[in-house]
Amino acid sequence: MAKKDTVLALRKRGISSKMAQILCDAGFTLSKLEKASVEDLVKAGITSRNANLIMKNRIRPPTEKSKDMSSDLIDSKLRGLLLPTTITDELQRDLRRIKLTEVQLDKILQMVVDAYERAKVEPCEAVGIIAAQSIGEPGTQMTMRTFHYAGVAEISITLGLPRLIEILDARKVPSTPMMTIRLKDEIKSDRDKVRKLAWEIETTSLLDLGDLSIDLAEMQICIDLSEKPLLQRNISPEEVVERTIDELGVDVRLEGLKLIIHPEQPSYRELLQLVEKIRGMVLKGIEGIERIVIRKEDGEYVLYTEGSALKKILNCDGIDPTKVKTNNINEIADVLGIEAARNSIIYEAMETLREQGLEVDVRHIMLVADMMTCGGELKQIGRHGVAGEKSSVLSRAAFEVTVTHLLEAAIHGDVDELCGVTENVIVGQPIRLGTGDVEPIYKGG
Amino acid sequence: MKEFSVLNHDMVPEHILLTEDEIKKLLAKYRISKGHLPKIKTSDPVCKEINAKAGDVLKVVRDSMTAGKALSYRLVIEG
């Protein structure tokens, strides 16, 4: 940059032309001045009072170009504050749009920090009780109706109160397992390819391919295969015969499109058992995925499945494994880990509440999810989980199955330290919450 | 086809193994011992993937709905 430009740029920053000239003569450029200290300026022949003024001015340049520099200052100031990223991002965005002096900036930031500190939960606050009430009260307004065809055509899913209870109980398998599968970019907008993939994933049993009839006179089972499902599911009658023999180990004959199956012993009982086996046999597809519904959402096809098999689906071709979802939280904990399970609890609980038109602050749900996952495995909220693991005998006895807990404690000679809330209420002592949880400490000198 | 790594799934937050120094700093900052941290089992799919041993501490960078990014820590335990 030529000297003349530097002088101009410095003057735009509120530095007098005389000072600017001196600085330029001393070899300062804008970037050098950025890094310079007061001492450097004094060395260049400027009085220390003026040097301080320059130091202050160089950072609040009023021109277009200077905007970046003031946002640098905002960034560096924000970095020094202990604020969550959502707040700092918003501040960064909004502060850049307005012109501020450094004093004003400091004032704004101080006010934000004060407001943030005020909004924080106070020490010794009973957050668990508040979370319980905040989820429990809206819970009373939830429907008792179990099934609903929400959003997804034809697939019924448990919603409302039963679903919420299911989530908090950390059931091994939900009453209506369901998956949402998004597809790879190459096929997600091609209906035929999506259809084909869906047939590959969906379990195919013999009964999907034709009608079953029992011929009691001949002691045999006949299955009339139809062409259409065979073609759709890309499976030939010969393959069907082969798979059936492999799976059941019985005599299978193919006459045209008719499958004739003989039981090992020609008895009535054997025949009926064989029918049951045929019903449960999986010819093709992923076990556990009973039905698939394809829906178009925002220009791409999405698969919704009845039944859940996360591990197998993740390694399927054609699907987008990063976005596969299931409502079986225990399965997520097994396949994706405890942190993913925590995210899933929050997501499922919030969705269940939102679907019922209830707004519960996510922080309450987060607390519940944290409690359920803090031991490294899914724990239910209840007798067999969080509440049952409390160390206090009285607290456990106050919750459920009172006698069992007292009896066990008596047999083992357990001691209750009276540290918690419930047990202190029982014995009539001040509870350790809020102001009750702080004690004066004497520092002898 | 290469097996899908669970670390790439949208619902799995970033897990970072802490060094001994970082663990010491962390415990000193909150004035706690290792046992006070939430746990994660060695059998956890993420632990297997990043080869965490019992006694290690993991830093979990969660996407928080309220704070944007939230840091959390878990102690790896046998199981």
Side-chain angles (χ1 to χ4, degrees), chain A residues 208-220:
Chain A
D208 292 322
L209 299 174
D211 298 322
L212 179 139
S213 56
I214 302 170
D215 187 348
L216 280 179
E218 297 282 331
M219 276 292 170
Q220 62 189 19

Side-chain angles (χ1 to χ4, degrees), chain A residues 331-352:
Chain A
E331 202 177 13
I332 291 180
D334 288 342
V335 179
L336 297 177
I338 196 72
E339 277 293 328
R342 177 186 172 273
N343 280 338
S344 173
I345 293 172
I346 297 169
Y347 174 80
E348 292 288 331
M350 284 306 277
E351 279 304 304
T352 307

Side-chain angles (χ1 to χ4, degrees), chain A residues 202-361:
Chain A
E202 194 176 281
T203 38
T204 302
S205 76
L206 260 181
L207 296 184
D208 292 322
L209 299 174
D211 298 322
L212 179 139
S213 56
I214 302 170
D215 187 348
L216 280 179
E218 297 282 331
M219 276 292 170
Q220 62 189 19
I221 299 165
C222 301
I223 297 169
D224 286 311
L225 299 177
S226 340
E227 296 235 12
K228 205 181 154 201
L230 283 174
L231 211 65
Q232 269 177 339
R233 287 164 202 252
N234 191 20
I235 190 166
S236 71
E238 287 74 26
E239 273 179 274
V240 175
V241 174
E242 209 174 291
R243 287 281 296 147
T244 317
I245 294 173
D246 279 356
E247 286 283 320
L248 303 175
V250 288
D251 179 34
V252 181
R253 234 174 40 237
L254 187 68
E255 287 178 6
L257 272 181
K258 201 171 194 176
L259 219 59
I260 297 169
I261 306 170
H262 282 282
E264 277 174 60
Q265 308 288 320
S267 80
Y268 187 60
R269 236 183 98 221
E270 283 265 333
L271 202 65
L272 287 185
Q273 275 176 355
L274 196 60
V275 172
E276 280 312 305
K277 270 190 200 162
I278 289 171
R279 268 185 221 283
M281 193 178 76
V282 176
L283 279 180
K284 206 178 172 189
I286 291 173
E287 212 171 331
I289 307 291
E290 275 135 46
R291 224 157 56 84
I292 293 186
V293 173
I294 302 172
R295 285 187 74 216
K296 192 163 191 177
E297 278 173 10
D298 306 323
E300 64 172 289
Y301 290 98
V302 182
L303 304 184
Y304 290 89
T305 72
E306 221 170 82
S308 177
L310 184 59
K311 185 138 208 171
K312 287 182 193 158
I313 291 285
L314 280 180
N315 290 312
C316 248
D317 272 330
I319 57 121
D320 181 356
T322 62
K323 290 199 171 64
V324 175
K325 259 195 214 132
T326 172
N327 67 353
N328 187 345
I329 296 169
N330 265 287
E331 202 177 13
I332 291 180
D334 288 342
V335 179
L336 297 177
I338 196 72
E339 277 293 328
R342 177 186 172 273
N343 280 338
S344 173
I345 293 172
I346 297 169
Y347 174 80
E348 292 288 331
M350 284 306 277
E351 279 304 304
T352 307
L353 288 163
R354 190 170 305 138
E355 191 272 333
Q356 299 273 311
L358 305 170
E359 277 297 326
V360 173
D361 195 291

Side-chain angles (χ1 to χ4, degrees), chain A residues 420-435:
Chain A
V421 176
T422 321
E423 50 269 38
N424 278 309
V425 172
I426 292 172
V427 299
Q429 287 191 54
I431 55 170
R432 306 202 54 183
L433 269 183
T435 47

